[in-house]
């Protein structure tokens, strides 16, 4: 039953997204300030789209959402199959002739489980890349993409194995309070990763350079000083070696904080539009949203581990046939534990997305307040939102339940209309709030 569920979750969705019309819309054209003048700032005309491009954007967005859901449901289905069939327990019994219970056994069993999960995820990753190629976004050769996937999987495996071995060591040594110790260790690990990923891991995949001298850099530095973040580090990344998408983000903790701009953003947007995007990222930086996200994630993890501790008898009972999994102490319970955490994360997804959308809206408001203080700033903001939606083929008005469940940012339509409202108020009252 669980194996049939796995196939039902992955195969039809993969076939669906691969069977889409692969015609590449001409969505990379310069869709500039003229769009601001349209009556509806989210209309196809305002975004610089033809009717066919609007349909293409909707197809592209639907496929992305389907893949996200398939990845989540497929992982749950695979873990359910492994749990129901007692895969980890069977492997442990075979290995018990050579390895005693302990970290070596944990390492081997966890490696097998995590490798199976990684292999099952690969078809969906390949389907996602196929779609990116079909819509003209992927710029990477297959060999380079495979190398990236191998490196990413190796890093994830190393981290996953370290976490599993450490967690089961805590479970055996602290049977009543392992969840509290693991929660503290998880929070510390989250802080560490947030601090080191920008400087140790991200450079393995891309080249980061300080923003080059010129008008854009001058604007950004002036904006940072005015926004109370004179020491903000702004970098550009060679994202175009992999993708034609436009993006920017803020990352880092404990002195590694930085704002990163895609080189596609710098080449496709006006200096004023880039300044507005940086204003949004400065909002994240000034309000320390990376730290807020780490704290929120750590609290969610602590509650999930406490809940796992309270329900551990049921989790162990679900861990498959045979005597090898008499308690949570046995690594044979790993698939059941991962299934519990996957279901917990799936149920928590709407709340996590809601928190993220709240932080993104605060960053948008920071950018709008900053832009309102300079001539043409809000026009730049509106144009940048419209251009990003158009160039990234984002459905401006997704179904409400999709936005509620999956979106970590407000929908493009909401952001565009918010900026248009600010622009309308400014045109009516020059003394609009700054």
């Amino acid at each position: 039953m669980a194996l049939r569920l796995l196939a039902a979750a992955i195969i039809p969705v993969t076939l669906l997204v691969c069977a889409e019309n692969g015609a590449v819309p001409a969505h990379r054209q310069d869709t500039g300030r003229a769009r601001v003048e349209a009556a509806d700032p989210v209309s196809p005309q305002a975004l610089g789209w033809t009717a066919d491009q609007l349909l293409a954007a909707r197809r592209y967005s639907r496929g992305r959402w389907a893949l996200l859901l398939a990845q989540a449901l497929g992982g749950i289905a695979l873990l359910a199959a492994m749990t129901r069939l007692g895969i980890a327990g069977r492997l442990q019994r075979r290995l018990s002739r050579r390895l005693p219970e302990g970290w070596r056994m944990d390492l081997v069993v966890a490696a097998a489980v995590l490798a199976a999960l990684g292999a099952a995820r690969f078809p969906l990753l390949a389907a996602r890349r196929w779609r990116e190629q079909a819509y003209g976004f992927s710029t990477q050769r297959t060999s380079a993409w495979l190398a990236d996937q191998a490196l990413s999987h190796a890093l994830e495996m190393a981290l996953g194995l370290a976490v599993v071995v450490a967690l089961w060591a805590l479970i055996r040594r602290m049977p009543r309070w392992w969840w509290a110790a693991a929660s503290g260790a998880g929070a510390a690990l989250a802080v560490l990763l947030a601090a080191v990923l920008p400087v140790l891991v991200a450079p393995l995949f891309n080249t980061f350079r300080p923003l080059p001298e010129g008008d854009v850099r001058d604007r950004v530095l002036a904006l940072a000083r005015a926004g109370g973040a004179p020491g903000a580090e702004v970098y550009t990344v060679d994202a175009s070696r992999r993708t034609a998408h436009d993006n920017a983000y803020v990352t880092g903790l404990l002195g590694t904080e930085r704002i990163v701009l895609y080189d596609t953003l710098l080449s496709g947007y006006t200096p004023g539009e880039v300044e507005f995007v940086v204003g949004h990222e400065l909002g994240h930086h000034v309000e320390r949203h990376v730290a807020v996200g780490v704290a929120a994630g750590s609290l969610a993890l602590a509650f999930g581990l406490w809940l796992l501790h309270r329900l551990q008898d049921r989790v162990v009972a679900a861990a498959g046939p045979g005597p090898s999994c008499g308690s949570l102490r046995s690594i044979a319970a790993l698939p059941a534990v991962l299934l519990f955490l996957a279901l917990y994360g799936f149920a928590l997804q709407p709340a996590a997305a809601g928190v993220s959308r709240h932080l993104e809206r605060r960053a948008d408001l920071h950018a709008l307040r900053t832009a309102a203080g300079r001539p043409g700033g809000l026009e730049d903001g509106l144009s940048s939102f419209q251009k990003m939606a158009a160039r990234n083929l984002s459905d401006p008005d997704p179904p409400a339940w999709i936005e509620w469940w999956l979106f970590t940012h407000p929908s493009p339509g909401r952001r565009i209309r918010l900026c248009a409202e600010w622009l309308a108020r400014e045109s009516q009252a020059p003394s609009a709030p700054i």
Side-chain angles (χ1 to χ4, degrees), residues 170-193:
L170 288 174
I171 290 173
R172 293 184 184 119
R173 295 180 183 180
M174 306 174 65
R176 294 186 61 185
W177 294 102
W178 64 266
W179 64 271
S183 298
L189 178 62
V191 172
L192 177 64
L193 289 176

